Amino acid sequence: MKKIVKLFSVSMACLVLTTTSCIKEIDPQNSTVTSDQAANAPGAFDNFVSAITSTMAGQFVYNENPYDFGYPSFFLQRDVMGQDIVLEDDGSEWYSTWYACGTGLGPQYAVSQIPWTYYYKWIKSCNNVISLAGEEPEAEKVAGAGIAYAMRAFYYMDLARMYAPKTYGKDKNAITVPIVLETTTLEELTKNPRATNEVMWTQILSDLDKAEQYLVNYKRPNKLTPDLSVVYGLKARAYLTMENWAKAEEYAKKAQAGYSMLNESQFLSRTDGFNTINDSWMFAVAYKSTDPNILTNDGDSSWGAQMIIEVFESGCGYAANYGAPKRIDYHLYNTIPETDFRKKSFVDFAIDGMTEEEALVELAEYSDSPEGIMGTAIATGTKVVGGLQVKFRPKGGEHVNQYAAFTVDVPLMRIEEMILIEAEAAGMQNEANGIAILTNFAKTRDANYEYGTHSGETYGSSYATPFQNEVWWQRRVELWGEGFATFDIKRLDKQVIRSYAGTNHPESKRWNADIYGKNEGNNYPNWMDLCIVQTEGNYNTELVNNPTPIMPSGDSPEHSW
């Protein structure tokens, strides 16, 4: 990855970002909306409200490369740093820097700019709306203000969990990121230290309290914007991270009202599976046929290009044709019982031992395009089909036209996540109650489920209880690929284990965090504490950074399960 060679001062950054397109107007360095911006655009307030979520998917925000496709890109950036997603070891994989977990994640390298650019632009959009709405919003601005407060909390919640070197539960005084509000001045930005966990999460909850107040009567037009249920869900996430179990349980329960879980046919649908908003999804983003991410570069700069393998016939897509699909970790796959329908989201490793004719018959159990799945596998360096994921399907079952196949919806919050938060939070107060909720959930996926199967899989953590281990396993399987891996590993202080007998992680990436990358006082690896881009430190004199991760010099000895 190329190093950043051109550094901007704060004044130059503000000038560049506020004189270009509407996307570029969302400036992470300047927290307030100018009077000209507000005065020169008819319907300015509604436009600014729309901008809060309109760039979450479909737009180029950073550098028009294959991982510049919005919020779902951060799912992959976070998830590949763990063990549950396996990448190919070749030049076609755009997420190799996060998977390799080395100096390329350091503050002088371009990838460290990506979250800083995206998140603070999004936060700027929220600050614009909050500033325009004022302390006492008029009736027609109440809902917009509520959306802005909810989304500012949403974005800061991610930043806190990505950058803090210790989670809230372990250290309230650990530092997160600088807070930029609608009232923050340019002068204050030059001396803006990283807020502690306690300060950050107090701000997040304050924003969510206001969102809850302002959105109480709001009826959203679709699930692409947050409503009161999403605010409840965000509070459940916040209190889970803070280990306030009673509040986490309370809000997770509230969030579930009006939604229903995915059943087997919905979860595994070949036409609508994890590509279309449904009664389980609480909040989502959508890729449209008119989006730059779809229209440009044959649609290859999109979530679908990275995650949809059933478009081999199109000749496009990094996952389908260019040798860079995402696979499930071999050990995790083997822990999923045959009676759990979620296992059918991943191609059986046993198929690689079959003849081509036999393999095609078996692959037809996973896809309407078995030859395409085989072609996808052949395009990879390993040439194997085992572990390929078919959780994220092409829109409408389209296998030829990638422009149609990639116009998918992507979930940001589901009722299933809320049930698992409720289970964990209840169980940390009364384990029997938590086990009952967890068992009821798990039996909808596997009628033969019995509690305790996964409670002993500690991944080196003495911080998490055996009950939490059981919940974590359900989260890993249910929410695979949806951006929770790093957050859970840090929250539960788990090691990352990639080296073991039969592993499908490539050589030179088979390391275990019990030996390499371990943080002081933590089990989880230090590469999960993101570095702040150097340009921020050039003008913010109060900034201190996280250590640059060092890639291990060799593979770890095999872990014994």
Side-chain angles (χ1 to χ4, degrees), residues 26 135 273 277 280 370 380 402 448 505 510-511 522 561:
I26 307 168
E135 292 185 8
I277 292 172
S280 158
T380 68
Q402 80 276 14
N448 295 334
H505 289 274
R510 297 174 180 173
W511 50 70
N522 295 326
W561 299 105

Side-chain angles (χ1 to χ4, degrees), residues 227-257:
D227 68 354
L228 189 60
S229 69
V230 175
V231 174
Y232 290 155
L234 292 175
K235 282 195 167 185
R237 287 179 179 177
Y239 285 122
L240 177 74
T241 302
M242 299 171 72
E243 300 184 7
N244 185 332
W245 305 117
K247 286 291 188 180
E249 180 184 11
E250 174 190 348
Y251 279 97
K253 284 181 179 178
K254 285 184 175 181
Q256 295 170 40

Side-chain angles (χ1 to χ4, degrees), residues 41-116:
F45 184 77
D46 290 340
N47 291 337
F48 277 110
V49 173
S50 176
I52 292 173
T53 53
S54 64
T55 57
M56 290 186 75
Q59 310 297 313
F60 290 111
V61 174
Y62 174 66
N63 197 29
E64 296 194 18
N65 60 36
Y67 49 67
D68 183 13
F69 53 81
Y71 190 84
S73 180
F74 291 98
F75 288 1
L76 298 177
Q77 292 172 35
R78 293 193 293 259
D79 284 2
V80 303
M81 288 194 286
Q83 69 269 316
D84 291 349
I85 289 183
V86 175
L87 302 185
E88 300 293 321
D89 193 23
D90 60 40
S92 297
E93 180 48 69
W94 279 89
Y95 289 87
S96 59
T97 301
W98 292 275
Y99 187 60
C101 306
T103 55
L105 295 175
Q108 292 183 317
Y109 288 80
V111 296
S112 67
Q113 179 72 60
I114 297 168
W116 215 250

